[in-house]
Amino acid sequence: MPAYKDKKTGKWYASFYYANWKGVREKKMKRGFETKKAALDWEREFLMQSSADLDMRFESFVEIYVSDLKQRIRENTFLTKENIIYNKVLPFFKDKKMNAITAKDVIKWQNELLAHRDENGKPYSKTYLKTMHNQLSAIFNHAIRYYDLKSNPAAKAGHIGGKEAGEMEFWTKEEYQKFADAIMDKPMSFYAFEILYWCGIRVGELLALTPGDFDFKNRLLRINKSYQRIKGRDVITEPKTKKSIRTIKMPKFLCEEIEEYIEMLYGIKPNDRMFTVTKSFLHSEMRRGSKAAGVKRIKIHGLRHSHISHLIDLGFSAVAIADRVGHESIDITYRYAHLFPSKQVDMANKLDDERNGSNG
């Protein structure tokens, strides 16, 4: 593996042949190295990366991981991952050999995260700590699954962080109706929040809706896409999960309201977006409406919680609710368990009756 000195610039460059992923021999060159050693180190790292030799540095494997992952997940999901990888994970591990990182290294990294305080003296949230650790673990799992890494040091080190214990925010039906009355002066806001509350869809799903998604004759709403604003661009993606692709049965009054709204949108086509507003606009309207109605302020996602809690109050099962809102039923059971009526008293009474009956 020779390196060469450029007589004009006095700097070193690497020039060599390698077999690409198709097995085809290609030439590779990179200039501008200050020393011969730097040129040779770069060549060695490149060859290890192209052959997925895990003696490579962590930083080089991250390039492979990002390349493998980028086309397989939603763009906004990737941007979140990218921020954590390049700002929270890579600075600590980048120069370590991929196959030489130990649980001890991971624990040292975790301790740095746990000790972090921002300018206001606040630590990272439990949720963010968990997310950062999970991202590091995902990189090692990718190396195990596809590139024959022997074990995951992040899994050996154990998790940090967890879910925040904060209370779930939602409105009762009466609170929502007060809010809805307060925002009727802006039709687009009113109809947007009607769909959010009475259908329990996500805000990205709302902002992607088109007239063609509605079947008013059968009172159906098809959810099959989501809207995101990414780097100044309007981006329509698939919904959050496969379970999120669903058809929702709408109440009759809501069908009538949305038909009225579409009639207001002069010249709208079946595939045109119906709500051409931003998430920040909807947040602003939530603030305005809750203040005017005199109800507690909640986040937009709280409307989804409100819809689910209303359905629980009406007596529907976790399975039926999960199907409507695009969740797994186990998630509904776990996250909203405190809202389902307790069966403990009925259980105890049944056991009493059974025991007394057998003694009789």
Side-chain angles (χ1 to χ4, degrees):
M1 295 196 304
Y4 309 92
K5 193 166 188 177
D6 189 323
K7 293 179 180 179
K8 290 183 179 180
T9 64
K11 294 191 175 183
W12 292 82
Y13 66 93
S15 178
F16 55 92
Y17 286 91
Y18 76 104
N20 68 16
W21 66 278
K22 293 181 179 179
V24 177
R25 189 172 161 84
E26 286 188 1
K27 187 174 183 178
K28 186 73 177 178
M29 180 185 287
K30 186 174 174 68
R31 298 180 180 273
F33 296 101
E34 295 294 335
T35 65
K36 182 178 181 179
K37 182 180 183 300
L40 290 174
D41 285 347
W42 180 86
E43 179 181 347
R44 189 181 305 108
E45 195 72 19
F46 177 87
L47 290 171
M48 283 192 292
Q49 190 180 34
S50 64
S51 62
D53 183 336
L54 291 180
D55 199 40
M56 75 177 82
R57 292 183 303 123
F58 182 85
E59 183 174 33
S60 296
F61 184 78
V62 163
E63 288 182 34
I64 294 174
Y65 173 76
V66 167
S67 177
D68 288 349
L69 193 71
K70 195 168 184 178
Q71 304 306 319
R72 297 169 182 263
I73 61 176
R74 299 197 311 170
E75 187 177 0
N76 61 313
T77 303
F78 174 76
L79 290 173
T80 301
K81 283 179 164 287
E82 188 178 42
N83 177 58
I84 292 172
I85 290 169
Y86 289 111
N87 295 321
K88 307 301 180 184
V89 176
L90 205 54
F92 186 91
F93 293 101
K94 65 179 182 178
D95 292 324
K96 297 181 185 295
K97 296 287 187 181
M98 186 66 187
N99 59 6
I101 296 171
T102 65
K104 185 177 176 182
D105 295 321
V106 175
I107 288 171
K108 188 176 178 182
W109 171 72
Q110 290 176 337
N111 287 339
E112 286 192 8
L113 298 180
L114 290 166
H116 169 84
R117 297 293 183 272
D118 66 15
E119 61 274 12
N120 298 315
K122 289 187 177 181
Y124 289 127
S125 70
K126 289 181 180 179
T127 303
Y128 195 50
L129 286 168
K130 182 180 180 182
T131 300
M132 288 187 284
H133 179 272
N134 286 350
Q135 180 56 70
L136 176 64
S137 189
I139 292 171
F140 287 120
N141 283 336
H142 192 79
I144 289 168
R145 185 172 182 183
Y146 299 108
Y147 299 98
D148 299 323
L149 184 69
K150 299 303 180 188
S151 63
N152 181 342
K156 286 184 180 180
H159 289 281
I160 54 172
K163 289 196 173 183
E164 299 293 336
E167 238 179 85
M168 189 178 290
E169 294 180 323
F170 63 91
W171 279 333
T172 64
K173 184 182 73 172
E174 291 71 27
E175 286 174 317
Y176 170 72
Q177 286 176 330
K178 287 180 182 178
F179 168 83
D181 289 343
I183 57 160
M184 286 187 77
D185 58 324
K186 291 187 180 179
M188 184 178 284
S189 299
F190 172 74
Y191 293 114
F193 286 118
E194 282 287 271
I195 294 174
L196 287 171
Y197 180 81
W198 294 108
C199 293
I201 67 175
R202 300 176 178 92
V203 67
E205 294 167 348
L206 170 87
L207 295 177
L209 290 179
T210 67
D213 294 325
F214 292 85
D215 174 357
F216 292 113
K217 182 179 178 182
N218 295 301
R219 292 165 41 198
L220 299 176
L221 169 58
R222 288 180 291 274
I223 302 296
N224 55 19
K225 54 191 175 295
S226 183
Y227 167 88
Q228 308 291 332
R229 184 76 176 169
I230 300 173
K231 295 182 178 178
R233 297 178 291 118
D234 292 334
V235 178
I236 301 295
T237 67
E238 292 183 351
K240 189 174 182 181
T241 64
K242 286 184 179 178
K243 185 81 173 175
S244 299
I245 299 174
R246 62 202 188 277
T247 300
I248 297 170
K249 190 81 172 181
M250 295 187 297
K252 186 178 178 183
F253 74 83
L254 185 61
C255 286
E256 293 170 352
E257 288 180 353
I258 303 308
E259 278 189 288
E260 287 175 10
Y261 174 61
I262 291 173
E263 286 175 7
M264 294 179 192
L265 304 175
Y266 179 76
I268 192 168
K269 297 173 184 175
N271 293 322
D272 289 344
R273 286 177 52 224
M274 293 164 50
F275 298 101
T276 54
V277 295
T278 62
K279 289 182 182 179
S280 61
F281 171 81
L282 293 175
H283 284 297
S284 175
E285 286 295 272
M286 284 285 282
R287 285 194 298 271
R288 180 178 75 90
S290 55
K291 184 177 180 180
V295 297
K296 65 179 178 286
R297 201 174 131 198
I298 64 172
K299 295 176 181 176
I300 291 179
H301 196 71
L303 291 172
R304 185 166 161 85
H305 296 318
S306 301
H307 180 69
I308 292 170
S309 66
H310 185 49
L311 294 179
I312 292 170
D313 196 45
L314 292 174
F316 292 101
S317 70
V319 173
I321 295 169
D323 189 51
R324 182 175 179 84
V325 300
H327 262 311
E328 296 293 340
S329 58
I330 192 169
D331 293 333
I332 295 292
T333 303
Y334 176 76
R335 295 184 66 192
Y336 299 90
H338 60 293
L339 297 179
F340 283 95
S342 175
K343 299 293 182 183
Q344 291 280 5
V345 173
D346 288 345
M347 289 177 189
N349 289 340
K350 287 281 185 185
L351 292 171
D352 263 337
D353 292 343
E354 185 184 47
R355 176 67 183 271
N356 292 336
S358 64
N359 287 341

